[in-house]
Amino acid sequence: MELTSLSALELGKKIKSGEVGVVEATKASLENIEKYDSTYNCYVTVCKEEALKRAEEVQKLISDDTLTSPLAGVPVGVKDNMCTKGIQTSCGSKMLSNFKPTYTSTAVQKLEDAGAVILGKLNMDEFAMGSTSETSFFGATKNPWNIDRVPGGSSGGSAAAVAAEEAFCTLGSDTGGSIRQPAAFCGVTGLKPTYGAVSRYGLVAYASSLDQIGPMGKNVEDVAEVFSTIMGHDPKDSTSVKQDAKKFVLDNNIKGMKIGIPTNYFRKGLDPEVKESILASAKVLEGMGAVVEEFEMPALDYAIPAYYIIACAEASSNLSRYDGIKYGYSAENFDGLVDLYFKSRSEGFGEEVKRRCLIGAFVLSSGYYDAYYKKALQVKAVIKKSFDDAFEKYDVILTPTAPTTALKMGENLSDPLKMYLGDIYTVSVNLAGLPGLVVPCGFDKEGLPIGMQLIGKPFGEDTLLNAGFAFQSTTDYHTKKPVLKSGKEA
Amino acid sequence: MEFETVMGLEVHVELSTKTKIFCSCTTEFGGDPNTHVCEVCTGMPGTLPVLNEQVVEYAIRTGLATNCEITQYNKFDRKNYFYPDLPKAYQVSQLYLPICRNGHIDIEVNGVKKSIGIHEIHMEEDAGKLIHDPWDDCTLVDYNRCGVPLLEIVSEPDFRSGEEVIAYLTKLKQILQYIDVSDCKMEQGSMRADVNLSVRPFGQDEYGTRTEMKNINSFKAIARAIEGERARQIELITEGKKVVQETRRWDDNKGSSFAMRSKENAQDYRYFPEPDLVPIEISDEWIERVRKSLPELPTEKKERYMKEYKLPEYDVDIITGTKALVKIFEEANAVCNNPKEVSNWIMVEVLRLASETNTDPDDISFDPKNLGVLINLVKNGVVNRNTAKEEVLAKMFSDNVEPEQYIKDNNLQMVSDDSLVRDIVTSVIAANPNSIEQYKEGNEKVVKFLMGQSMKQLKGKANPAVVTKVLEEELAKL
């Protein structure tokens, strides 16, 4: 078995026992990046020298027992919207293509403190706006299962890097499905934690009330370990919840676990093969002793408009700071202050970012606020309430992650509305601030992965992880690997 | 036609917390440009604000001192606009749920008492400063002030004259200084006022169209701006023209205002709740704790001084009007327990020295306890009153000397030794035979001259009562 095919925890064990060296593991990942990344374009920045230097340091710290984390020495990748001191943090945008932060985000710092070796920064939709990873200024990322398909987005680089074995595990961020949908498209495991479980300090904001950092990996155990490492209260993030990090002892006994399936998620628009696969997975869980039941959640039908209003409103404000003056892209020829703003932003942002900033500015404008933004907040409250009601009856809610498997490249780029509708199963989770876990649960006729989504109560990640762990202990979808193509072969 | 002026004020006050509102950078005034900054207050991507709880405490204190209701569940909102001094392109402020509402401040103008309503007080962050460099013809930004906590105190449109505005601002400044939330230094920009002004014919109920004059930075300039703007609006109306709702800038040097932007071009700030901060919940206990910690406020103090110390209203007004003078008064009185004397010394001597040396009362640096010590020394006959005023207090004022030590070191003790005084007096009598002749002829005025000569010989250090007594005895012997 190739070293890079190990899971993060398997590698961690071998490093701890001395069977594998940290430098050796790091080199193996870097070799895969060198071999495959010209095909898949997972990375915006590869930090080869920094990673090798850090690998040597970490090796010493492991050898003298200073570092004892199960992730010590494991090479990982980080989505390019998390600040890394002195290393370009572009958010997939021309606007920040020359931006090197002066500090490191809390989540990345926690991973580094545990001894993980950062290989580089992963590609993404520009400012995390998109669900295909095609809107990146640095070119589209490709799906390792089929290079004519998108990896999903916006954390497409984070998902594809795990699938292409260019990192043992990665960090992504999820505002409306940006960890879960690419995890489903690339056949990897991804967790969007409860809002407030992981510090957002250093995560370049898209929509502050919805953004959440989370782990992506080869299986539930890896994802649980990374989550355990990055979670916990951060005094630098007022919205991070006051709870300590905890270890997850996974248990595949799900006897009596109550699983609800919202029937309105299984009607029109859902690809039949995806539907079949999700319902079959429900049977698997039922076979393990879970109690599966169908129910209606009508409020979910309003999730997409509410999500796009809130997310765009916040984005329009969050992205206003990119004005060409302090850092980032600045137009060269301009006539006065307003022209500098106008040109820098016109030239520095891509289409989708501009579209969302315009929508956001519109819905917040005087005279429209009540009709749009305020209404959307009301819908958000209704959705939250209907989840609360559902969790009175169920421990976990099972849904599809996306209406289809991975789309063809370019298919959605020309039709933003179609792209927005593709987020139907994921955005309500962000609106309600809940945790969502995606695990691979099948393949369509073309061999593209299908992922199911498990939604949990606030801070109910342990239940979700147990359900996912139980599923992976009786299925092998998560162990399937795409046939990778090096640059020449592609 | 007679016109009535209607005004409302928006006062911005920089709070004197040690650190900024959302990060731990210092709020200290000055410093080299962009040295009191960090990732957070310069709005670097990915940074998040964390609220400085002291700001909330100061806001509650201000609200209670101005008779406001405290909003126990309040939130921050974002006010969005592009400007280079605002690094996030939004200001974190409070629109929907400000921390204080429905308060009032009582003022008195020409003996007439009036209550000015406070519509609301909200917390917000200050912006940076733009500095134009004429040499290179470019504009530079200094972010040191970014994130310094501000309170915006919005009054009701209750003012009808410039005097009322100045009385309100004076009172507001006193209160804020008393409760230690701001130094209110207008020249450093830690207190800034915007005036909303309209005029209407007397008797009319509806308000006229108002203009707003921004950032006027002294009380005198505010008085002039009000007078100028009032005249301008009345002239427009009298000429049959219309007042345009707009923001105007008052140029105090030119004595006129000019339009900055009209309502049509007014910014749409696209306010919405700040998602990076959690709502602030203020418990009853917190409010009560702050209420109990409030010091005596100017009005209460004034009344007490008049009642308890029987001091004249004029003197009390001046002393209680400035926190620094209150401190001098109270600390000196604690030492000598002689309120009348302390008040007189402050009113006459301390304020004279302050005005001679052009010193703001806030910057008086002697230890107030030493004024009490000095008053005791005079009372106990250790030092002559004139010497105490002219020499000792002046030296305390300039160099903060200890009065007892200074008197000793410079040999300024009063001479009460009769024999020494008698020697001097007899020598003065001997040296002025002409005067003695006149005295014998019944000219009493000569006694004063001889007294003065004796005091001069004694270098002003003698107790005048003793000198008078000895002189009278010696003259009687003649």
Side-chain angles (χ1 to χ4, degrees):
Chain A
M1 194 176 179
E2 293 275 342
L3 189 56
T4 50
S5 295
L6 296 171
S7 76
L9 288 179
E10 285 166 347
L11 175 69
K13 259 184 212 150
K14 286 184 192 289
I15 288 172
K16 191 169 249 177
S17 71
E19 194 182 325
V20 176
V22 181
V23 174
E24 182 189 353
T26 305
K27 277 185 176 161
S29 290
L30 288 169
E31 271 162 29
N32 265 16
I33 293 172
E34 202 152 305
K35 198 164 161 194
Y36 300 124
D37 210 50
S38 55
T39 308
Y40 303 116
N41 196 29
C42 299
Y43 283 86
V44 174
T45 305
V46 179
C47 309
K48 189 176 173 182
E49 269 152 41
E50 294 92 331
L52 288 171
K53 187 165 162 265
R54 178 68 184 151
E56 278 179 28
E57 288 167 12
V58 168
Q59 183 63 65
K60 277 189 203 124
L61 294 170
I62 293 171
S63 306
D64 68 15
D65 281 335
T66 311
L67 276 176
T68 55
S69 160
L71 292 175
V74 175
V76 303
V78 174
K79 189 175 178 179
D80 209 19
N81 59 353
M82 288 168 224
C83 286
T84 39
K85 187 174 176 175
I87 295 167
Q88 178 190 294
T89 299
S90 74
C91 289
S93 181
K94 180 180 179 182
M95 187 58 95
L96 290 180
S97 55
N98 60 1
F99 174 62
K100 288 183 179 172
T102 55
Y103 72 103
T104 296
S105 55
T106 300
V108 174
Q109 191 60 54
K110 284 187 171 183
L111 262 189
E112 288 203 289
D113 292 346
V117 175
I118 311 289
L119 294 164
K121 305 296 292 289
L122 295 159
N123 204 9
M124 57 186 282
D125 279 301
E126 186 180 7
F127 282 102
M129 297 177 188
S131 28
T132 62
S133 296
E134 291 169 293
T135 67
S136 170
F137 175 65
F138 302 92
T141 296
K142 290 174 180 169
N143 193 318
W145 293 87
N146 182 335
I147 55 168
D148 298 325
R149 302 283 173 153
V150 301
S154 67
S155 311
S158 302
V162 172
E165 299 184 339
E166 294 183 28
F168 287 87
C169 53
T170 59
L171 291 186
S173 71
D174 190 316
T175 307
S178 284
I179 286 175
R180 291 160 290 157
Q181 183 255 25
F185 281 11
C186 292
V188 304
T189 304
L191 173 69
K192 182 256 152 189
T194 309
Y195 185 77
V198 178
S199 169
R200 291 185 294 118
Y201 192 78
L203 172 68
V204 180
Y206 157 23
S208 316
S209 73
L210 307 167
D211 294 341
Q212 189 61 195
I213 291 173
M216 305 181 81
K218 289 171 179 163
N219 59 40
V220 170
E221 291 153 287
D222 282 4
V223 160
E225 186 55 43
V226 177
F227 176 54
S228 159
T229 305
I230 62 174
M231 74 185 295
H233 178 65
D234 179 4
K236 289 177 182 164
D237 176 2
S238 323
T239 63
S240 82
V241 172
K242 290 204 168 62
Q243 64 159 4
D244 294 330
K246 56 179 177 184
K247 287 283 161 200
F248 296 93
V249 183
L250 299 178
D251 178 0
N252 63 9
N253 177 9
I254 55 164
K255 224 178 176 87
M257 185 181 278
K258 292 192 194 106
I259 298 176
I261 297 183
T263 45
N264 41 326
Y265 270 1
F266 288 82
R267 296 193 184 118
K268 71 170 187 200
L270 180 60
D271 179 279
E273 280 185 277
V274 175
K275 180 177 173 178
E276 199 180 305
S277 161
I278 303 296
L279 294 177
S281 304
K283 288 280 174 218
V284 171
L285 293 167
E286 207 168 33
M288 297 182 76
V291 182
V292 180
E293 209 177 276
E294 291 184 350
F295 73 110
E296 281 283 315
M297 251 180 112
L300 297 179
D301 298 347
Y302 303 97
I304 287 189
Y307 167 79
Y308 276 96
I309 287 167
I310 293 170
C312 292
E314 292 180 10
S316 75
S317 173
N318 284 330
L319 272 65
S320 291
R321 71 188 67 193
Y322 310 114
D323 57 8
I325 291 180
K326 300 173 293 292
Y327 46 77
Y329 178 75
S330 189
E332 279 181 18
N333 302 306
F334 58 89
D335 180 17
L337 179 65
V338 173
D339 197 45
L340 170 64
Y341 286 157
F342 189 81
K343 286 197 174 126
S344 299
R345 291 171 65 81
S346 296
E347 294 162 15
F349 288 140
E351 286 291 299
E352 187 56 34
V353 170
K354 283 183 215 170
R355 182 179 294 118
R356 295 194 193 189
C357 286
L358 285 173
I359 293 172
F362 173 76
V363 298
L364 289 176
S365 318
S366 152
Y368 295 97
Y369 179 86
D370 286 355
Y372 293 102
Y373 191 76
K374 206 169 162 192
K375 202 98 188 173
L377 289 184
Q378 288 164 348
V379 171
K380 184 182 178 191
V382 169
I383 288 173
K384 174 91 177 67
K385 173 77 172 55
S386 65
F387 271 113
D388 287 346
D389 291 346
F391 284 120
E392 293 278 309
K393 286 193 280 180
Y394 308 112
D395 301 309
V396 166
I397 293 170
L398 172 64
T399 77
T401 309
T404 62
T405 51
L407 301 159
K408 290 202 176 80
M409 304 284 291
E411 203 175 325
N412 261 5
L413 214 48
S414 53
D415 189 350
L417 196 59
K418 191 177 161 201
M419 179 165 77
Y420 296 174
L421 291 172
D423 298 336
I424 182 153
Y425 307 125
T426 47
V427 291
S428 54
V429 172
N430 300 79
L431 288 173
L434 303 171
L437 175 71
V438 165
V439 291
C441 68
F443 292 88
D444 70 3
K445 281 200 281 285
E446 301 198 41
L448 294 168
I450 299 169
M452 66 173 179
Q453 172 175 241
L454 296 162
I455 303 168
K457 295 175 194 177
F459 304 100
E461 280 87 354
D462 41 1
T463 312
L464 284 188
L465 292 166
N466 279 339
F469 179 63
F471 186 79
Q472 289 188 343
S473 64
T474 48
T475 58
D476 63 355
Y477 304 111
H478 64 289
T479 62
K480 303 279 190 221
K481 292 176 195 308
V483 180
L484 298 177
K485 290 180 179 167
S486 67
K488 280 177 221 155
E489 293 162 323
Chain B
M1 205 187 315
E2 286 290 315
F3 286 91
E4 179 182 42
T5 315
V6 177
M7 287 168 285
L9 287 194
E10 287 165 24
V11 178
H12 285 90
V13 188
E14 274 184 7
L15 296 178
S16 53
T17 52
K18 285 207 170 59
T19 56
K20 293 185 178 181
I21 185 168
F22 299 126
C23 64
S24 52
C25 290
T26 175
T27 55
E28 213 176 297
F29 181 76
D32 286 342
N34 300 309
T35 53
H36 300 169
V37 296
C38 69
E39 286 92 8
V40 176
C41 56
T42 52
M44 296 304 277
T47 56
L48 297 169
V50 176
L51 178 61
N52 178 350
E53 214 162 82
Q54 194 75 48
V55 174
V56 182
E57 175 104 4
Y58 280 14
I60 299 174
R61 226 191 262 181
T62 306
L64 294 178
T66 55
N67 313 294
C68 288
E69 294 160 14
I70 306 299
T71 314
Q72 291 186 263
Y73 180 82
N74 64 101
K75 286 183 184 177
F76 282 99
D77 301 293
R78 287 189 187 175
K79 179 180 182 178
N80 296 283
Y81 63 96
F82 287 94
Y83 206 62
D85 67 2
L86 193 67
K88 299 190 296 290
Y90 57 80
Q91 180 193 29
V92 179
S93 180
Q94 294 192 296
L95 176 73
Y96 297 106
L97 293 166
I99 185 159
C100 311
R101 279 187 284 211
N102 301 328
H104 62 89
I105 288 181
D106 298 327
I107 58 164
E108 194 177 318
V109 174
N110 303 325
V112 181
K113 289 188 170 148
K114 183 168 178 177
S115 180
I116 301 294
I118 291 183
H119 181 73
E120 68 169 65
I121 299 175
H122 60 254
M123 303 176 279
E124 58 187 27
E125 56 181 339
D126 210 344
K129 254 185 209 159
L130 296 186
I131 299 149
H132 191 73
D133 178 354
W135 191 256
D136 284 335
D137 192 25
C138 66
T139 301
L140 302 166
V141 201
D142 177 7
Y143 290 122
N144 281 356
R145 203 177 64 180
C146 256
V148 168
L150 290 180
L151 290 185
E152 181 173 337
I153 303 165
V154 184
S155 83
E156 298 290 354
D158 288 346
F159 301 99
R160 297 294 177 268
S161 72
E163 287 91 342
E164 289 179 3
V165 169
I166 302 305
Y168 168 85
L169 286 171
T170 308
K171 188 70 173 286
L172 180 61
K173 185 175 166 180
Q174 285 171 14
I175 293 173
L176 297 172
Q177 289 181 334
Y178 265 58
I179 61 175
D180 248 333
V181 300
S182 174
D183 58 17
C184 294
K185 287 187 176 163
M186 283 194 116
E187 69 282 8
Q188 289 185 4
S190 63
M191 186 178 191
R192 318 193 276 267
D194 303 342
V195 181
N196 283 289
L197 185 150
S198 64
V199 297
R200 63 181 172 188
F202 268 106
Q204 179 181 306
D205 283 340
E206 308 88 71
Y207 294 128
T209 306
R210 68 166 194 273
T211 60
E212 182 181 17
M213 288 181 290
K214 280 202 170 294
N215 285 334
I216 322 171
N217 57 11
S218 78
F219 285 8
K220 282 176 188 155
I222 289 169
R224 286 190 287 266
I226 290 172
E227 205 32 62
E229 181 58 14
R230 174 186 137 82
R232 190 189 70 88
Q233 290 192 12
I234 291 174
E235 191 179 318
L236 281 174
I237 295 170
T238 316
E239 285 172 359
K241 294 178 187 160
K242 277 200 168 132
V243 176
V244 181
Q245 187 175 340
E246 62 193 358
T247 304
R248 301 182 67 83
R249 184 177 287 283
W250 172 255
D251 186 331
D252 202 45
N253 294 325
K254 289 187 182 142
S256 62
S257 65
F258 58 93
M260 284 167 72
R261 54 172 184 262
S262 69
K263 192 193 175 194
E264 287 72 45
N265 298 320
Q267 303 242 20
D268 181 351
Y269 291 119
R270 292 174 283 120
Y271 277 100
F272 74 104
E274 164 59 282
D276 286 330
L277 288 165
V278 291
I280 309 148
E281 293 186 54
I282 301 169
S283 65
D284 293 338
E285 291 74 33
W286 192 357
I287 296 175
E288 278 322 300
R289 190 168 53 70
V290 176
R291 198 190 298 279
K292 283 194 188 119
S293 74
L294 278 184
E296 187 178 36
L297 295 174
T299 310
E300 303 158 19
K301 201 180 277 294
K302 181 184 157 183
E303 280 165 13
R304 182 169 66 83
Y305 278 17
M306 288 171 62
K307 209 171 137 212
E308 202 175 310
Y309 301 142
K310 311 270 188 298
L311 298 174
E313 182 168 8
Y314 178 79
D315 295 9
V316 172
D317 261 339
I318 290 187
I319 292 171
T320 59
T322 308
K323 200 188 163 200
L325 297 182
V326 167
K327 184 172 166 4
I328 296 174
F329 177 84
E330 296 195 341
E331 291 187 19
N333 194 43
V335 172
C336 66
N337 193 23
N338 194 345
K340 202 121 205 159
E341 271 290 283
V342 178
S343 168
N344 285 337
W345 277 79
I346 292 174
M347 293 298 295
V348 182
E349 304 307 329
V350 175
L351 289 179
R352 175 181 57 82
L353 285 166
S355 101
E356 279 171 12
T357 53
N358 212 2
T359 307
D360 190 287
D362 289 336
D363 299 326
I364 294 175
S365 57
F366 70 81
D367 182 349
K369 288 188 201 77
N370 286 337
L371 177 61
V373 171
L374 185 61
I375 289 171
N376 278 341
L377 292 173
V378 171
K379 189 183 156 204
N380 297 335
V382 175
V383 66
N384 172 289
R385 182 178 288 269
N386 273 334
T387 309
K389 287 177 180 175
E390 307 289 336
E391 291 196 42
V392 187
L393 184 67
K395 211 64 189 164
M396 279 164 60
F397 199 94
S398 58
D399 299 319
N400 191 21
V401 296
E402 295 273 339
E404 265 178 309
Q405 192 63 42
Y406 184 77
I407 288 166
K408 202 177 280 174
D409 292 351
N410 294 277
N411 207 16
L412 298 174
Q413 299 95 326
M414 204 140 64
V415 180
S416 303
D417 178 355
D418 273 17
S419 62
L420 181 62
V421 173
R422 204 169 296 278
D423 286 353
I424 298 287
V425 168
T426 47
S427 75
V428 167
I429 289 174
N432 292 284
N434 288 345
S435 303
I436 301 304
E437 279 309 308
Q438 289 175 27
Y439 173 75
K440 284 178 177 165
E441 284 162 19
N443 189 347
E444 288 286 324
K445 275 185 192 160
V446 185
V447 178
K448 262 197 183 150
F449 169 76
L450 294 169
M451 176 77 191
Q453 287 299 306
S454 303
M455 286 302 279
K456 199 175 167 190
Q457 295 280 322
L458 288 157
K459 296 197 175 79
K461 293 184 293 184
N463 185 338
V466 175
V467 180
T468 309
K469 193 190 89 191
V470 172
L471 182 59
E472 279 169 359
E473 285 169 12
E474 288 303 314
L475 286 172
K477 287 181 194 166
L478 292 171

